Amino acid sequence: MNELAAKRNAVTELMRISPVADDLAGLFARAGHRLYLVGGSVRDAMLGRSSPDLDFTTDARPGEVLKIVSGWADGVWETGIEFGTVGVTKRGATLEITTFRADTYDRVSRNPEVTFGDTIEGDLSRRDFTVNAMAIEVSTKQFVDPFDGLAAVRDGILDTPATPQESFADDPLRMLRAARFVSQLGFTPAPRVVAAMTEMAGELARITAERVQAELSKLILGSRPRQGLELMVDTGLADVVLPEVPGMRLAIDEHHQHKDVYQHSLTVLDQAIALEKADGWEPDLVLRLAALLHDIGKPDTRRFTSGGGVSFHHHEVVGAKMVRKRLRALKYPKQVIEDIGQLVFLHLRFHGYGRGEWTDSAVRRYVTDAGDLLPRLHKLVRADCTTRNKRKAAALQRTYDDLEERIARLEAQEDLARVRPDLDGNEIMKLLGLPPGPLVGQAWRHLKELRLDRGPLTHEEAVAELVRWARENGIEPPE
């Protein structure tokens, strides 16, 4: 992309959002202030990418901004006003308007001492990376680029306006954001940025888990998460955020001894993403994290065997516990934690299928244990095949094809997604003369186990089995 084309893209994007931006700029001009489109909005325009939200900066102080947009905006919120930001909605567009900043940081917490600035150049000097330190004055369409951000976008280079050490000391989260931009935008960090990240990785520990998790999730959902994760591991950021991932470099995968578990896991992540795309899925955080973390239990379960072999017995059980612990520490939502933990726990279940040992009961249990996660489990298991032996890989895929076809046949016959006992709780209580309580739950679970083992029972068979269970447990059904 040449510079003229990039500027044209930016102006075209700016005109696309007009007249909202032009109207807003007119309001600021009439009040004696300037308004600039800034940051990621300009960067994305240079890249020909649309931005759902628009960021502006101005010399007007927050109180003045509120007066200017009052009566014009469809909605206004002041959540970030102490940091100089006023949020606005207008005709479906979301705008954030922030007063020029000249902050200083205590370099102990991440919280700045908010100080307002007077120039656009001073504001841009405080930005995280030069690709985000460009602005367009909305009224005149003048392009402002004091730190050669346009050249950085053109060359795909991630660098900082100030020295990386100054930038990262001010806000250590910027180091993780660098890895996120590698994943999302395909940028390459400048050598001095990588050196500073490596030197200062431990500073990330002073950032709250919630902020770290938000950046990590964006990285995982990017188009090149492998590259972002490799940067995290190589610089030591992963030792702070996801220490189990670099920890996998210690173990040799028992099926692929030419690779360590770390490289295997990154390949599984790549293959899971390819399967997402093949089926038209949106980027799936749960699937991608499960792919990355499915083998994190291997280092703790590694055992060397006679003859030079290695085993990882029950690594899926250990790994599921480790996943839940790490994701809780990162403050992920409870359902996300449980879903990823369950996928890690189940990812090895399939490997007994190819030996011809699975009954219909085993297939039912596979589907029932996966529940709503079954489509993701299908992709995770398929992605977990990273052998270079084409014949072996094809055989594994054919075997899983067979399992999916078998699931489909049983589903058509039995509605596997909603396996329930053949008698409900009310029938159990009536037939056994029991009040609500634990015994009813035990009887219900017994009938569900039968349903999984044998498939649907007739009503008479189910009643007979319930009576048999009751008598074995000292319960005499009424006549």
Side-chain angles (χ1 to χ4, degrees), residues 355-420:
R355 296 191 292 269
E357 300 169 358
W358 279 31
T359 61
D360 284 352
S361 172
V363 176
R364 292 187 195 100
R365 290 178 187 279
Y366 188 75
V367 173
T368 300
D369 290 348
D372 293 339
L373 296 171
L374 186 62
R376 287 169 166 144
L377 183 59
H378 288 333
K379 285 182 169 50
L380 176 59
V381 173
R382 289 184 182 276
D384 195 22
C385 175
T386 61
T387 178
R388 293 178 180 176
N389 184 320
K390 293 183 178 179
R391 182 177 298 176
K392 184 177 179 182
L396 284 169
Q397 297 300 335
R398 283 195 303 272
T399 302
Y400 206 83
D401 288 343
D402 181 74
L403 175 58
E404 287 203 54
E405 290 167 6
R406 195 167 165 192
I407 288 170
R409 288 196 300 271
L410 285 173
E411 173 66 41
Q413 298 166 11
E414 304 178 17
D415 193 11
L416 291 183
R418 288 179 291 275
V419 170
R420 294 289 186 274

Side-chain angles (χ1 to χ4, degrees), residues 168-184:
F168 299 157
D170 281 349
D171 183 359
L173 190 65
R174 289 173 174 175
M175 294 184 284
L176 188 54
R177 195 173 296 134
R180 190 245 291 184
F181 287 140
V182 168
S183 171
Q184 285 185 326

